[in-house]
Amino acid sequence: MSDRVVLLNPGPVTLTPRVRQAMLRADMCHREADFARMVLDVKGRLLEVYEGASAYDAVILTGSGTCAVEAMLAAHGKPHEVLRGEWLAPLDLGAVEERLRASDDIARVAAVHHETTTGRLNGVAGLARLCQKYGRGLLLDAVSSFGGEDIRFEEWGLEAVAATANKCLHAVPGMAFVVAHRAALEDADGSTRSVYLDLRRYYAEQRAGFSPFTQSVQACFALHEALLEMQETGGWVRRQARYRLISDAVRDRLGALGAAPLIPWSEASSMLSAFRLPDGLPYEVLHDTLRAAGFVIYAGQGALAGSIFRIATMGDIRDDDLDRLLASLVGVFRAVRR
Ligand SMILES: *Cc1c(COP(=O)(O)O)cnc(C)c1O
């Protein structure tokens, strides 16, 4: 048995040897010109992942995805309202429109692109049309979709997008970033009480490649290499196709074994599949059996804990990994039905 571990959780992901190796390069000081050059290069490449981002700039932060989301919202003490929906239901655009029509004082709408809890890919195009119609900014949590799903900066009129290095971009945890419209980054009215997550301060200093605080230098090496690798292997379009191919194989095989999808696959993202646990198969048994075979899957969260399992297809998943995964899944599911 090999000691290869393949992560099928939605980030952090299995690294390619190339990205892992990149972290071993010579050390850099975060206040030296060589590191500043790398930061500028990473910022530029982040803006090149999608077309239509020429009016935007990228700000990189040391932290997990939540760090970027919080910096984007800079919501410390700012009034906000949560529009709740059914966990398994699609985005209720009618409810959003009703709220926007009723109040002029809502300046921005924040939404999650890929809802990692259920695997749903939210219809951002429709939400964007509403925000444009009512003249409100749209802030997107694209932590688990940036690099693996379509994001249309210009067409959707996005004000800002928060994401991370260690999901669809295939780098390591430790670097997160916000891609924001330059007008928003230069808006002096946007104040925050946060010292560490003051996006505008980072923006101002990072124009020269420097940052207010110590960046995770090695995580930046990894992100830089991961962006190069992504570009050389066909960008987000090819990556999405690869995710879909693996997801389809898993969905087909588990479907044939009687596993029910949590939401219709037509509404799901390319890279995450949530299944209901079949009767007689506790999550722990499924998890531990796959873990022994070298695969790490993901449990349900919140109200879905104990009733579902998730399989994400981000990261360096090779053809032989997929073959072994499918064989392992068939083994566990057949054993339950016996
Ligand atoms: C992973 C994820 C986050 C952030 O998680 P961290 O643990 O902070 O990296 C935020 N939003 C979505 C949609 C995610 O998938």
Side-chain angles (χ1 to χ4, degrees):
M1 234 195 82
S2 82
D3 52 9
R4 178 165 170 83
V5 176
V6 178
L7 301 178
L8 302 171
N9 47 288
V13 299
T14 309
L15 301 179
T16 62
R18 175 174 168 177
V19 168
R20 190 188 308 284
Q21 193 65 30
M23 287 183 286
L24 302 181
R25 61 186 290 167
D27 296 326
M28 282 189 195
C29 167
H30 69 297
R31 300 231 181 266
E32 287 286 320
D34 51 359
F35 186 66
R37 271 195 299 277
M38 177 176 277
V39 167
L40 291 176
D41 193 63
V42 164
K43 278 159 54 80
R45 288 179 194 282
L46 286 171
L47 295 175
E48 285 168 6
V49 173
Y50 293 96
E51 282 169 22
S54 59
Y56 294 75
D57 209 330
V59 175
I60 63 170
L61 303 156
T62 284
S64 80
T66 305
C67 161
V69 173
E70 189 164 337
M72 175 175 76
L73 297 177
H76 310 271
K78 289 193 181 129
H80 67 278
E81 187 182 315
V82 179
L83 208 56
R84 284 182 199 285
E86 283 293 316
W87 256 118
L88 299 183
L91 209 60
D92 184 350
L93 291 180
V96 176
E97 177 152 26
E98 205 172 288
R99 238 7 238 110
L100 292 182
R101 197 188 294 127
S103 41
D104 288 337
D105 55 352
I106 296 174
R108 292 179 180 84
V109 174
V112 174
H113 188 201
H114 172 208
E115 179 44 74
T116 325
T117 317
T118 60
R120 177 179 298 285
L121 189 69
N122 281 317
V124 176
L127 186 64
R129 273 194 295 276
L130 285 180
C131 289
Q132 285 167 327
K133 177 175 171 188
Y134 291 93
R136 319 294 164 90
L138 180 54
L139 308 173
L140 204 60
D141 168 349
V143 174
S144 59
S145 53
F146 193 100
E149 298 285 1
D150 196 4
I151 299 176
R152 308 203 170 184
F153 282 87
E154 240 162 25
E155 188 180 322
W156 294 347
L158 297 170
E159 182 168 332
V161 170
T164 189
N166 62 286
K167 292 193 185 184
C168 305
L169 293 183
H170 297 186
V172 301
M175 288 253 103
F177 57 92
V178 178
V179 176
H181 201 282
R182 264 189 234 105
L185 289 167
E186 283 162 10
D187 175 9
D189 286 343
S191 62
T192 174
R193 269 185 254 161
S194 176
V195 174
Y196 193 66
L197 298 177
D198 184 348
L199 211 53
R200 290 183 181 82
R201 183 172 170 200
Y202 277 86
Y203 168 68
E205 297 191 25
Q206 263 180 27
R207 295 177 92 165
F210 296 100
S211 302
F213 311 106
T214 310
Q215 293 281 15
S216 176
V217 172
Q218 284 74 13
C220 193
F221 294 168
L223 177 57
H224 180 250
E225 198 66 31
L227 286 165
L228 284 174
E229 186 174 46
M230 183 176 185
Q231 216 160 32
E232 288 167 20
T233 53
W236 78 265
V237 174
R238 284 289 295 278
R239 187 152 290 181
Q240 182 191 48
R242 175 74 186 161
Y243 290 164
R244 263 200 201 140
L245 183 140
I246 303 171
S247 294
D248 285 348
V250 169
R251 289 168 188 177
D252 288 351
R253 190 65 59 96
L254 280 178
L257 291 165
L262 181 68
I263 59 168
W265 296 136
S266 59
E267 297 170 14
S269 69
S270 308
M271 72 291 270
L272 193 124
S273 307
F275 296 92
R276 294 189 186 276
L277 274 165
D279 289 340
L281 180 58
Y283 177 75
E284 291 69 26
V285 172
L286 177 61
H287 171 274
D288 294 355
T289 309
L290 289 171
R291 184 67 188 78
F295 299 101
V296 176
I297 60 163
Y298 221 42
Q301 279 166 286
L304 297 169
S307 62
I308 69 162
F309 65 96
R310 291 177 285 172
I311 295 184
T313 59
M314 306 160 191
D316 185 32
I317 302 174
R318 310 181 311 217
D319 289 346
D320 62 309
D321 294 327
L322 177 59
D323 292 342
R324 286 187 301 114
L325 171 66
L326 296 176
S328 302
L329 286 169
V330 169
V332 196
F333 273 73
R334 290 222 172 116
V336 175
R337 285 196 303 181
R338 212 171 278 137

